[in-house]
Amino acid sequence: MTKPNISRRTVLAAGAGLAGLPFSGPLRANPHRASTGSPLPAKGAVVIASANGLRTVAKAYQEVQGGTRPVSAAIQGVAIVEADPNDISVGYGGLPNEQGVVQLDAACMDGIAHNAGSVACIENIMHPAQVAEIVMDHTDHVNLVGQGAKDFALSYGFKEENLLTDRARKIWLKWRASHSKDDDWLSPAGDEIKNADFERLYGTIHCSVLSASGDVGCTTTTSGLSFKIPGRIGDSPLIGCGLFCDNEVGSAGATGRGESAIHSGGSWLVVERMRSGDTPEEACLYALKRVVSQVKRQRTWQPRLWSEKENRPSFNLSFYAIRKDGLFGSARMIRGGDNPTYSVCDSKGARLVKGPVLYES
Ligand code: GLY
């Protein structure tokens, strides 16, 4: 087959041109319009991330203000958390699958060129979002998985590393010994690992970036559901599910139960709701309500997705969004304590924010 004669340089140049096209969706009135008619963010660049991304938003904001394209700024921001052994839901230190192997998923999307890349089930590579960026920029594919993704990363000079920290291994050993009373594993002695430590986690970090010139990009990266069946991938490496952006509208992403973000096409839905005029917060709440209506049907085949006692889904899920005019917002399914629900950075600096929830408890 003949390969299209398009170099990366051509694509990037075309992307830069696209950024100047007039906006075609019904954004609400924005006084900050470029002479091309394209809306510009009212208050400059904005970066949003999940609550574990306070350092991420600060780094990504610094990068995008320095001229780095939004998708790359997001990827540099999440690299801090991918390398942090204390975040047990992302990268190094992430909890492993049921066989004790850390398998990572990540994707990125560039609004300028409307291009995307992803890797799933990749092992021993600490920065999967950076590998996804290379898939996006240097191939005509979107998704690479497993050994193919790892070989691809190694061919670009990524180092193989052991990502299973001692703490994650101890949590996994305790989970393995505790999750059934009817097997041959004896619980490890001592109370170093508490039962709450091995509750199954979805975790994840999402980061969306809007530049001062109105371009968007995003990334989502995760170790996925802890103790998952080997080979399981969640929403994070799936475009439209764990992340989506469109330079005409804005950017969105998800953290939490990946299967629900997949079943709802959640991040795509958030962007499309913003295209129709929703604020980011309204769009995130809309997507969560869609998930609730779907779970009511799903509980017929998976009762544990619904808490009868609380009369709500039994899992958490959050969406995050930035609209092209600079408005941002997020919404979470269940508050789950008094903690902030997302991170943001703009001209006022990096901060944690408590967003709206569908269920307080
Ligand atoms: N949202 C991450 C996952 O479900 O894998």
Side-chain angles (χ1 to χ4, degrees):
M1 208 176 104
T2 322
K3 198 164 164 48
N5 186 19
I6 301 176
S7 69
R8 175 166 176 256
R9 191 183 296 269
T10 317
V11 171
L12 293 178
L18 282 173
L21 282 178
F23 172 73
S24 58
L27 266 188
R28 287 168 189 170
N30 180 347
H32 299 261
R33 283 184 176 271
S35 54
T36 56
S38 175
L40 287 179
K43 294 179 184 156
V46 182
V47 181
I48 190 170
S50 34
N52 54 349
L54 186 61
R55 290 170 297 162
T56 293
V57 292
K59 171 72 175 162
Y61 184 80
Q62 181 194 30
E63 286 295 326
V64 76
Q65 287 292 73
T68 304
R69 66 178 175 170
V71 62
S72 305
I75 289 165
Q76 292 197 35
V78 299
I80 297 169
V81 179
E82 287 178 328
D84 181 353
N86 296 314
D87 191 316
I88 58 174
S89 71
V90 179
Y92 177 56
L95 291 176
N97 66 19
E98 67 178 21
Q99 291 176 354
V101 177
V102 180
Q103 292 186 320
L104 304 179
D105 297 339
C108 63
M109 190 156 186
D110 169 28
I112 300 169
H114 203 73
N115 198 5
S118 102
V119 291
C121 273
I122 189 169
E123 296 176 10
N124 302 107
I125 303 290
M126 192 182 291
H127 293 292
Q130 293 173 12
V131 186
E133 185 178 26
I134 298 176
V135 173
M136 176 178 78
D137 284 340
H138 293 274
T139 79
D140 193 29
H141 302 339
V142 176
N143 310 109
L144 294 181
V145 304
Q147 188 64 41
K150 180 173 169 179
D151 290 345
F152 177 85
L154 296 176
S155 77
Y156 278 92
F158 285 80
K159 283 199 311 271
E160 259 194 278
E161 295 174 89
N162 175 21
L163 303 180
L164 186 66
T165 58
D166 262 3
R167 175 162 175 79
R169 187 175 50 76
K170 283 179 184 160
I171 293 173
W172 166 69
L173 286 174
K174 184 114 182 189
W175 169 82
R176 187 175 69 176
S178 314
H179 75 279
S180 168
K181 291 189 172 55
D182 192 26
D183 62 26
D184 299 321
W185 298 108
L186 306 179
S187 273
D191 61 357
E192 190 187 342
I193 305 296
K194 313 262 179 280
N195 287 0
D197 291 337
F198 58 86
E199 273 173 23
R200 298 188 76 193
L201 275 187
Y202 290 97
T204 307
I205 183 164
H206 168 76
C207 179
S208 276
V209 176
L210 170 72
S211 71
S213 52
D215 295 318
V216 291
C218 56
T219 186
T220 304
T221 176
T222 188
S223 49
L225 173 63
S226 47
F227 323 126
K228 60 197 171 187
I229 297 172
R232 177 261 188 195
I233 67 171
D235 58 320
S236 307
L238 299 179
I239 305 303
C241 303
L243 72 170
F244 190 73
C245 69
D246 185 321
N247 230 36
E248 293 185 341
V249 180
S251 182
T255 62
R257 184 173 185 270
E259 282 72 8
S260 294
I262 297 169
H263 287 142
S264 60
S267 295
W268 181 84
L269 180 59
V270 170
V271 171
E272 291 309 303
R273 288 296 300 187
M274 293 196 291
R275 193 193 300 275
S276 304
D278 272 6
T279 64
E281 192 173 295
E282 286 166 350
C284 293
L285 285 166
Y286 181 93
L288 286 176
K289 287 177 189 160
R290 174 73 61 83
V291 169
V292 173
S293 72
Q294 291 166 347
V295 174
K296 284 181 178 163
R297 278 170 278 149
Q298 291 170 329
R299 63 186 162 164
T300 56
W301 55 265
Q302 179 49 291
R304 76 171 190 208
L305 291 179
W306 190 261
S307 164
E308 295 295 344
K309 186 164 153 255
E310 318 283 359
N311 195 30
R312 57 152 172 77
S314 57
F315 56 86
N316 228 331
L317 181 66
S318 299
F319 289 108
Y320 314 87
I322 304 178
R323 205 169 65 175
K324 196 173 162 69
D325 60 1
L327 213 55
F328 60 86
S330 169
R332 177 178 282 185
M333 184 75 79
I334 307 161
R335 174 126 7 239
D338 195 31
N339 297 323
T341 54
Y342 68 101
S343 318
V344 67
C345 189
D346 55 15
S347 57
K348 295 187 207 143
R351 56 202 182 274
L352 289 164
V353 179
K354 280 187 192 168
V357 297
L358 281 193
Y359 302 94
E360 281 297 334
S361 59

Coordinates of all heavy atoms in Angstrom, one line a residue, residues 105 202-204 222 224-225 232-236 254-259, ligand 1:
D105 N -1.4 1.8 31.2 CA -2.2 2.3 30.0 C -2.1 3.8 30.0 O -2.1 4.5 31.0 CB -3.7 2.1 30.2 CG -4.1 0.6 30.3 OD1 -3.4 -0.3 29.8 OD2 -5.2 0.4 30.8
Y202 N -9.2 2.3 41.1 CA -9.1 2.7 39.7 C -8.1 3.8 39.5 O -7.4 3.8 38.5 CB -10.5 3.1 39.1 CG -11.5 1.9 39.0 CD1 -12.4 1.7 40.0 CD2 -11.4 1.1 37.9 CE1 -13.3 0.7 39.9 CE2 -12.3 0.0 37.8 CZ -13.3 -0.2 38.8 OH -14.2 -1.2 38.7
G203 N -8.1 4.7 40.4 CA -7.0 5.8 40.4 C -6.9 6.5 39.1 O -7.9 6.9 38.6
T204 N -5.7 6.7 38.6 CA -5.4 7.4 37.3 C -5.2 8.9 37.5 O -5.7 9.5 38.4 CB -6.6 7.2 36.4 OG1 -7.0 5.8 36.3 CG2 -6.4 7.8 35.0
T222 N -2.3 5.7 33.6 CA -2.7 4.9 34.8 C -2.1 3.5 34.9 O -1.6 3.0 33.9 CB -4.3 4.7 34.7 OG1 -4.8 4.1 35.9 CG2 -4.6 3.8 33.5
G224 N -4.2 1.4 36.1 CA -5.5 0.7 35.8 C -6.0 0.1 37.1 O -5.5 0.3 38.2
L225 N -7.1 -0.6 37.0 CA -7.7 -1.3 38.1 C -6.7 -2.2 38.8 O -6.1 -3.1 38.1 CB -8.9 -2.1 37.6 CG -9.6 -3.0 38.6 CD1 -10.2 -2.1 39.7 CD2 -10.7 -3.8 37.9
R232 N -6.3 -6.8 30.9 CA -7.4 -5.8 30.9 C -6.9 -4.4 30.6 O -5.9 -4.0 31.1 CB -8.0 -5.9 32.3 CG -9.2 -4.9 32.5 CD -8.7 -3.6 33.3 NE -9.9 -2.7 33.7 CZ -9.7 -1.5 34.0 NH1 -8.5 -0.9 34.1 NH2 -10.8 -0.8 34.4
I233 N -7.6 -3.7 29.8 CA -7.3 -2.3 29.6 C -8.6 -1.5 30.0 O -9.7 -2.0 29.9 CB -6.8 -1.9 28.2 CG1 -7.9 -2.0 27.2 CG2 -5.6 -2.6 27.8 CD1 -7.5 -1.4 25.8
G234 N -8.4 -0.3 30.6 CA -9.5 0.5 31.0 C -9.8 1.6 30.0 O -9.5 1.4 28.8
D235 N -10.3 2.7 30.4 CA -10.7 3.8 29.6 C -9.5 4.7 29.2 O -9.5 5.3 28.1 CB -11.7 4.6 30.2 CG -11.3 5.2 31.6 OD1 -10.6 4.5 32.3 OD2 -11.6 6.4 31.9
S236 N -8.5 4.7 30.0 CA -7.4 5.6 29.9 C -6.7 5.6 28.5 O -6.4 6.7 27.9 CB -6.3 5.5 31.0 OG -6.9 5.5 32.2
A254 N -11.3 11.6 32.0 CA -12.0 10.8 33.1 C -11.0 10.1 34.0 O -9.9 9.7 33.5 CB -13.0 9.8 32.5
T255 N -11.4 10.0 35.3 CA -10.7 9.0 36.1 C -11.8 8.2 36.9 O -12.9 8.7 37.0 CB -9.8 9.7 37.2 OG1 -10.6 10.6 38.0 CG2 -8.7 10.6 36.5
G256 N -11.4 7.1 37.4 CA -12.4 6.3 38.1 C -12.7 5.0 37.4 O -11.8 4.6 36.6
R257 N -13.8 4.4 37.5 CA -14.2 3.1 36.9 C -14.2 3.2 35.4 O -15.1 3.7 34.8 CB -15.5 2.6 37.5 CG -15.8 1.2 36.9 CD -17.1 0.6 37.5 NE -17.2 -0.7 37.0 CZ -17.9 -1.1 35.9 NH1 -18.5 -0.1 35.2 NH2 -17.9 -2.3 35.5
G258 N -13.1 2.7 34.8 CA -12.9 2.8 33.4 C -14.0 2.2 32.6 O -14.4 2.7 31.5
E259 N -14.5 1.0 33.0 CA -15.5 0.4 32.2 C -16.7 1.3 32.0 O -17.4 1.3 31.0 CB -16.0 -1.0 32.9 CG -15.0 -2.1 32.7 CD -13.7 -2.0 33.5 OE1 -13.6 -1.1 34.3 OE2 -12.7 -2.8 33.3
Ligands
GLY1 N1 -9.7 4.7 34.9 C1 -8.7 3.8 34.9 C2 -9.1 2.5 34.7 O1 -10.2 2.1 34.9 O2 -8.2 1.7 34.3

